[in-house]
Structure formats: C-alpha cells, structure tokens
Amino acid sequence: MKLSASTIATPTVTRRTFTIPEAAIIVGVGKSTLYEHVKNGDVPCVRLGRRVVIPAHVIESMLAPKDT
C-alpha cells in the first residue's frame, strides 16, 4: 500500500499553554497588567527556565462566569 497525504491522518493539536502576551489578548487585558498579576501570584503560571506560560485551563477559568 502506497501512502499519500490523503491517507495519513493529521493529528489535531490543541494548545495547552499560552505566553503572557497571547493570554493578555485572549483575556482582554494589557500585557503589563497580566505580567503584574503573574508576579503577584494572582494568576497561576508555569515557568520553563526564563519562559513563563499560562495553562489554557487557567485562562478558561478566568473567562468563566462567576457566581455571585
């Protein structure tokens, strides 16, 4: 059987983390605001060396409606 591009399934990749500038756009705040919240520990993040990323589930929880 000869393989071609049409016979090979391409996996769908879902992003699990976002950089702070990307997350700021998604959430609708400025980069400096989000950097400050990360620095204060208000927004959980993952540090990979010098790189800081925010998990997608954290962004989703930030955007979820809050019960009052």
Side-chain angles (χ1 to χ4, degrees):
M1 176 177 164
K2 187 174 183 179
L3 296 178
S4 67
S6 62
T7 60
I8 298 174
T10 304
T12 302
V13 177
T14 302
R15 299 241 348 233
R16 296 182 64 191
T17 62
F18 294 88
T19 64
I20 291 179
E22 292 170 334
I25 291 169
I26 294 167
V27 175
V29 299
K31 290 186 302 189
S32 58
T33 300
L34 194 52
Y35 274 111
E36 191 65 30
H37 284 290
V38 166
K39 179 181 172 184
N40 293 337
D42 300 329
V43 174
C45 66
V46 176
R47 295 184 187 275
L48 305 168
R50 294 186 62 187
R51 186 178 174 111
V52 177
V53 293
I54 300 176
H57 71 87
V58 171
I59 296 170
E60 290 170 9
S61 70
M62 292 170 66
L63 296 173
K66 307 288 185 232
D67 292 334
T68 54

